[in-house]
Amino acid sequence: MWSRVLAPGYPDHPPMVALWIRCGTMLAGEGALGVRLLGPLSVAAATLLLADAATRLLHCRRAGLRAAALLNATLLFGVGGVLMTPDAPLLAFWIAGLWALARLLDSGDPRWWLAAGLFAGLAMASKYTAVLLWFGIGLWLLATPAMRPWLRRPAPYLGAAVGLAVFLPVLLWEAGHDWVSFARQGGRIAAWQPTHAVRFLGELVAGQFGLITPLVFLLCVAGIVQAARLAWRTRDPAAMLLLALTLPTVVLFTQHTLGNRVQGNWPAVIYPAAIIAAAGLLAPAWRRLTTPAVALGLGLTLLVYLQAGTALLPLPARLDPIAMQLSGWPGLAARIDAARLRAGATFVAADQYGVAAELARHLPPDVPVVGVEQRWTQIGLPRADVAGRTGLLIRSTRRGPELEGIPWPAPVEIGEVERQRDGEAVETFRLYRVVPAGNSAIAVTLPVMGRALAAN
């Protein structure tokens, strides 16, 4: 949906993922291939860049090949690479920035600072987690004796200026929209629930253990420990770089567990440098673990794909994370459209961001889909002209019976519909008949988004 309304910023994230989707759909159409196209392509490019970075930082071509294999043996890249989320461009540009710094260290050519700044700016325009890349580069310059002379030269500052110039449109958009996504993402910092910290920390570690796959996770931990020892003894610039791009993020998200859960994908930026560190392990026992780690990771990745395509494991639909995200949307749209016709409604509305976008994709192209939520006011979509018209409001039962935030008076509940996987309920939605008295600023009409293709 964002990709149909391109802008320098959005209520949740910077704009890069929307731009990537627009590019993919222009090349391959508005189906799943077009939406996701740049994800696998970016993983392929990132693999090559990470291999070259590892080769240059560790002075060993085999280490580069090991790093490439380990990267693709993680669920983070092996599965995450086909999920078009803000993490896809973030990780691609983060790895490109790491590669530019490896080239800088290998060659001493100051022009690589401009490339590093460019990629750091593009990473920030992908997801605000990229501020840790900026912080890591600054920490590396300050803490590494061999790098401090660069602080007296213009190249690092010119690189930073390039990065800021890339990010400037996002800043200007935020300034004109009450800093909405800064407030949304930054608001998590103030969370404070220390009594749950042990549980949150356990969930974080377990999540990383699964997302990176168990043996690759152990290799990453061992690699970071080895890099830390080398950095402490020698202040080796390569080891210091790997630490600067991993340990601050580890500390940040460990601290975050004092206030709230850390979603499994948030620490993803740790792993490019951690995998290079893992590829540089010297002990023969760790080296021998590389092949089993890659085999296990690829096997788990294959299992996830099989589960997504065939529901191989007999998990209940409501406990299957793949089903919760992907299953049953076309069938749900068909049931909702049938209920709309029975109710004599001329439009369908939803108060959940994602649900509204799914309906805008799957309902017939002549059925207007209205999004009803405060965040829609920050996106350049037309206000819905629904005054006096009968509509059907869709609301997940997981949100409770209270209709807070709905601007229309006296909704009348008329039934329920289910999103299903093979006849088993994944999620249940309540249906309400509404007749808006006027047009609301938080109710917008969503673009058609691929429905014309489906109709054809």
Side-chain angles (χ1 to χ4, degrees):
M1 186 275 297
W2 287 359
S3 75
R4 298 294 296 272
V5 193
L6 290 178
Y10 297 96
D12 288 17
H13 292 291
M16 191 62 69
V17 66
L19 181 60
W20 275 32
I21 292 173
R22 172 62 75 86
C23 292
T25 54
M26 288 175 64
L27 292 171
E30 293 191 354
L33 177 62
V35 170
R36 302 182 185 204
L37 179 64
L38 266 64
L41 293 179
S42 70
V43 171
T47 298
L48 297 175
L49 295 179
L50 190 81
D52 187 69
T55 297
R56 294 176 185 279
L57 291 173
L58 303 174
H59 308 290
C60 175
R61 186 171 181 273
R62 287 187 177 180
L65 296 176
R66 285 197 295 272
L70 290 170
L71 182 77
N72 285 276
T74 66
L75 297 182
L76 177 68
F77 283 85
V79 175
V82 299
L83 303 178
M84 184 49 68
T85 72
D87 290 315
L90 167 69
L91 291 170
F93 292 127
W94 183 291
I95 290 173
L98 173 57
W99 168 75
L101 296 171
R103 286 272 183 164
L104 167 74
L105 199 55
D106 185 54
S107 67
D109 188 337
R111 288 175 294 184
W112 285 109
W113 279 115
L114 302 180
L118 172 65
F119 293 131
L122 291 170
M124 277 290 287
S126 303
K127 195 173 180 180
Y128 299 131
T129 313
V131 71
L132 293 164
L133 177 59
W134 290 72
F135 178 81
I137 294 171
L139 181 63
W140 180 51
L141 282 171
L142 293 170
T144 308
M147 299 303 298
R148 287 177 195 151
W150 282 109
L151 295 171
R152 299 190 294 272
R153 301 177 63 181
Y157 305 103
L158 291 175
V162 170
L164 289 173
V166 170
F167 188 60
L168 182 60
V170 182
L171 284 175
L172 294 176
W173 184 91
E174 288 287 339
H177 292 78
D178 302 319
W179 307 98
V180 56
S181 65
F182 281 13
R184 181 174 176 82
Q185 301 297 340
R188 295 188 173 104
I189 298 173
W192 180 249
Q193 300 182 69
T195 56
H196 299 296
V198 173
R199 175 162 58 93
F200 291 158
L201 181 60
E203 291 174 357
L204 171 61
V205 174
Q208 299 311 295
F209 203 70
L211 187 62
I212 307 305
T213 70
L215 295 182
V216 177
F217 181 80
L218 291 176
L219 288 170
C220 287
V221 172
I224 293 173
V225 170
Q226 177 182 278
R229 289 173 176 169
L230 178 62
W232 178 260
R233 290 198 306 267
T234 67
R235 298 297 191 272
D236 174 69
M240 294 289 284
L241 176 61
L242 297 179
L243 285 186
L245 296 183
T246 54
L247 288 187
T249 306
V250 171
V251 171
L252 173 67
F253 287 115
T254 300
Q255 182 275 333
H256 190 82
T257 62
L258 293 172
N260 211 335
R261 285 186 173 88
V262 176
Q263 299 298 322
N265 61 304
W266 292 357
V269 293
I270 294 171
Y271 293 102
I275 283 173
I276 291 178
L281 284 166
L282 299 175
W286 289 115
R287 291 278 184 91
R288 287 194 294 269
L289 197 60
T290 301
T291 299
V294 172
L296 176 61
L298 294 177
L300 291 173
T301 299
L302 177 61
L303 183 63
V304 171
Y305 278 112
L306 288 174
Q307 180 68 15
T310 66
L312 181 68
L313 298 177
L315 296 175
R318 293 182 186 268
L319 298 179
D320 185 342
I322 296 172
M324 290 298 293
Q325 292 293 324
L326 301 181
S327 294
W329 292 108
L332 174 67
R335 295 182 189 94
I336 288 174
D337 195 43
R340 177 189 68 83
L341 293 172
R342 290 194 300 270
T346 60
F347 68 92
V348 173
D351 66 341
Q352 273 182 282
Y353 213 47
V355 172
E358 291 282 3
L359 294 179
R361 181 170 184 81
H362 293 293
L363 280 169
D366 60 340
V367 179
V369 176
V370 175
V372 188
E373 190 180 356
Q374 189 63 41
R375 280 184 289 182
W376 295 114
T377 63
Q378 308 288 352
I379 301 176
L381 290 168
R383 184 178 297 188
D385 183 13
V386 293
R389 298 168 59 188
T390 300
L392 190 67
L393 172 66
I394 316 303
R395 185 178 175 87
S396 174
T397 56
R398 290 186 294 177
R399 305 198 77 178
E402 300 81 9
L403 291 176
E404 297 178 1
I406 302 301
W408 304 320
V412 177
E413 185 172 349
I414 60 173
E416 293 184 347
V417 292
E418 291 180 341
R419 179 162 64 92
Q420 299 179 349
R421 183 192 67 185
D422 298 329
E424 183 183 3
V426 177
E427 187 177 7
T428 303
F429 295 85
R430 293 188 182 93
L431 304 178
Y432 298 86
R433 184 176 181 273
V434 294
V435 182
N439 296 325
S440 170
I442 67 169
V444 300
T445 301
L446 272 64
V448 171
M449 293 197 297
R451 290 188 279 162
L453 290 178
N456 293 333

